[in-house]
Amino acid sequence: MYDINEWKHVFKLDPDKEITDEDLEKICESGTDAIIVGGSDNITEDNVLNIMSRIRRYLIPCVLEVSTAESIIPGFDLYFIPTVLNSRSTNWIIDLHHEAVKEFGDIMNWDELLVEGYCILNPDCKAATLSEANADLSIDDVVAYARVAENMFNLPIFYLEYSGKLGDISVVEKTKKVLTNTKLFYGGGISSAEEAERFAQFADVVVIGNIIYTDLHAALQTVKAVK
Ligand SMILES: CC(C)=CCC/C(C)=C/CC/C(C)=C/CC/C(C)=C/CC/C(C)=C/CC/C(C)=C/CC/C(C)=C/COP(=O)(O)OP(=O)(O)O
Ligand SMILES: O=P(O)(O)OC[C@@H](O)CO
Ligand SMILES: [Mg+2]
């Protein structure tokens, strides 16, 4: 299923974290809609290639969420390109993208590429620090970013990112109300089936990350709670 419009649940695997073959098989055969490969620390060509080739044993759609231009490799079904809408620096909104397109422009298949409008709301997560995000936002600010993503930039994905911390469900609910075509991804701190179900009421797609590495059983339970 390579159409994100059909997705409800995805797992995000961090190339910098260890996962056994047995656990990876459970993740890939869990019934989730796709696997995103991504992280913010120590993402290299080697560790991306390693996890991609292991996921490739299964039929599941496999997406690279690009966090550094150096770790982009061929072989994924799709490439998600984050742009941090609430960054204080143009670097993470447009500059790195401009540089990467300058380098890869001639060999890019634009049909494989989807831009994610990130709004990072946990000020303490690595992605917030790295991308100099202004996470001190009101609900109205977040809703305005969502409207910019859909109505001005026509982005396929608006991503509410609370990485490492469970977010505010009312922000997700209000954000969903202003989006029609742009898909709302929610990620951050989901650690049980109940939480996954609650956030999936409003988010089009829930993203499950860290809990894979600390409580695989709970991570697997989130799939049937959402789908
Ligand atoms: C050869 C080939 C296959 C060519 C393909 C062409 C292609 C796909 C070209 C891409 C062109 C392009 C425009 C690239 C963009 C380049 C780039 C570096 C953009 C910047 C991305 C960005 C804004 C990164 C900032 C950090 C961020 C938002 C990362 C997203 C992932 C994320 C939030 C992970 C969570 O991190 P984690 O480590 O899990 O955090 P915790 O510790 O809190 O858990
Ligand atoms: O790791 P967690 O906190 O589940 O967050 C998932 C994802 O949004 C991280 O980019
Ligand atoms: Mg993580």
Side-chain angles (χ1 to χ4, degrees):
M1 198 164 48
Y2 300 96
D3 179 3
I4 67 158
N5 298 306
E6 307 291 321
W7 296 357
K8 284 299 295 173
H9 180 286
V10 300
F11 281 121
K12 190 183 280 193
L13 290 176
D14 189 332
D16 190 36
K17 290 188 177 153
E18 300 283 328
I19 186 163
T20 63
D21 284 344
E22 195 187 347
D23 287 357
L24 186 65
E25 178 174 359
K26 287 181 182 151
I27 289 291
C28 293
E29 301 208 323
S30 62
T32 188
D33 294 310
I35 308 288
I36 297 179
V37 171
S40 53
D41 240 7
N42 189 34
I43 307 301
T44 65
E45 215 180 297
D46 278 357
N47 59 22
V48 171
L49 179 60
N50 177 282
I51 192 75
M52 181 192 75
S53 54
R54 292 172 65 206
I55 298 167
R56 279 294 185 219
R57 295 174 191 153
Y58 307 93
L59 280 173
I60 190 83
C62 184
V63 181
L64 178 64
E65 183 173 60
V66 174
S67 52
T68 65
E70 298 71 38
S71 57
I72 301 171
I73 57 166
F76 285 88
D77 297 308
L78 291 172
Y79 295 82
F80 284 179
I81 312 295
T83 174
V84 182
L85 299 174
N86 61 326
S87 174
R88 293 186 173 92
S89 160
T90 56
N91 220 15
W92 308 99
I93 305 171
I94 189 71
D95 296 349
L96 289 165
H97 313 72
H98 174 249
E99 265 174 47
V101 172
K102 220 168 141 186
E103 183 179 342
F104 295 110
D106 287 339
I107 57 161
M108 277 166 70
N109 177 356
W110 294 95
D111 295 338
E112 292 175 348
L113 200 140
L114 295 179
V115 179
E116 304 171 295
Y118 257 79
C119 185
I120 304 184
L121 293 169
N122 173 8
D124 302 320
C125 74
K126 272 186 226 142
T129 312
L130 176 73
S131 67
E132 300 165 64
N134 171 18
D136 184 19
L137 299 180
S138 66
I139 292 195
D140 288 349
D141 289 322
V142 176
V143 164
Y145 276 124
R147 288 189 156 127
V148 167
E150 173 158 322
N151 301 301
M152 295 176 69
F153 294 159
N154 210 5
L155 299 181
I157 296 167
F158 183 69
Y159 194 135
L160 287 176
E161 174 65 283
Y162 282 87
S163 186
K165 171 182 151 189
L166 200 63
D168 178 345
I169 190 89
S170 65
V171 172
V172 188
E173 180 176 9
K174 293 202 169 114
T175 302
K176 175 63 189 167
K177 284 202 175 112
V178 302
L179 294 175
T180 310
N181 300 318
T182 297
K183 292 293 147 190
L184 179 59
F185 280 46
Y186 169 83
I190 291 181
S191 61
S192 68
E194 185 275 321
E195 287 167 358
E197 191 178 4
R198 194 144 43 88
F199 280 79
Q201 271 179 272
F202 306 115
D204 295 306
V205 179
V206 294
V207 184
I208 310 294
N210 293 338
I211 193 71
I212 298 167
Y213 301 95
T214 53
D215 186 347
L216 182 70
H217 178 73
L220 294 168
Q221 296 285 315
T222 62
V223 180
K224 67 171 185 297
V226 166
K227 289 176 59 78

